[in-house]
Amino acid sequence: MAELVPVAFPVLLRRARREFDRREAIFDLPARKFYRPSPATDLSVPYAGERAANPIGPAAGPHTQLAQNIALCWLAGARIIELKTVQANDTLTLSRPCIDMATLGYNTEWSQELRLDLSVREYVKASMLIQALDAWGVLGSPGQADGTVFDISVGYDLAGIR
């Protein structure tokens, strides 16, 4: 499996802005595919003590570790974004992919593609990128980032939570 390689935040911002201005797309997703909610329809739900604008979002996985993928989820309509579980031990060498369904389904626990420090940076970059896209008005009027909930789990034991 290919290694995940984070992209610098300024590069992501420049690419998103240029693509939107030149091709009406962001990270190759055409603007016509962006989710633009109807102000007449309230799809919001309570979630983890917050109000999510709708109950749609990706399940955690390697794809929810990179900022541009999280931003793409948001552009496509996700408002509950389940981030990859952060593990206490991020130095384990495990087979990839961590879920294999070729002949028999199994899951290698304690898997994490990025080191903890990189995971945190990616999640912060994703949040900032979504705020920037919202401020640019790519979904119409600004304020669409309101109602976006990031859900994260940490470790599988008390040490991992700490």
Side-chain angles (χ1 to χ4, degrees):
M1 177 180 224
E3 292 294 316
L4 298 182
V5 179
V7 177
F9 186 65
V11 173
L12 291 174
L13 281 178
R14 273 194 308 275
R15 178 176 170 189
R17 183 84 247 180
R18 285 181 182 154
E19 276 189 45
F20 190 71
D21 290 344
R22 293 178 182 170
R23 302 189 300 125
E24 291 191 20
I26 296 177
F27 305 130
D28 294 320
L29 180 68
R32 71 181 182 280
K33 303 269 186 168
F34 294 175
Y35 171 74
R36 292 179 175 88
S38 167
T41 307
D42 180 11
L43 299 175
S44 66
V45 295
Y47 185 81
E50 302 288 329
R51 193 102 191 135
N54 69 47
I56 306 299
H63 57 288
T64 61
Q65 283 186 277
L66 295 176
Q68 65 271 27
N69 293 348
I70 295 168
L72 280 167
C73 291
W74 180 79
L75 288 168
R79 294 301 181 265
I80 298 175
I81 301 172
E82 185 182 14
L83 303 171
K84 177 78 177 195
T85 300
V86 175
Q87 302 299 340
N89 185 351
D90 64 355
T91 60
L92 296 175
T93 303
L94 301 167
S95 62
R96 299 285 187 254
C98 63
I99 298 175
D100 183 10
M101 296 301 293
T103 57
L104 170 65
Y106 68 89
N107 183 14
T108 304
E109 294 296 337
W110 300 98
S111 63
Q112 179 152 336
E113 287 73 20
L114 294 179
R115 301 292 305 262
L116 293 175
D117 60 328
L118 290 178
S119 293
V120 170
R121 288 174 190 244
E122 286 302 295
Y123 299 156
V124 171
K125 283 179 357 189
S127 179
M128 292 172 61
L129 184 55
I130 288 169
Q131 291 297 323
L133 295 172
D134 188 39
W136 294 342
V138 299
L139 299 183
S141 60
Q144 300 299 318
D146 297 343
T148 301
V149 178
F150 292 94
D151 188 15
I152 189 167
S153 58
V154 287
Y156 288 113
D157 59 15
L158 186 56
I161 293 169
R162 287 184 180 147

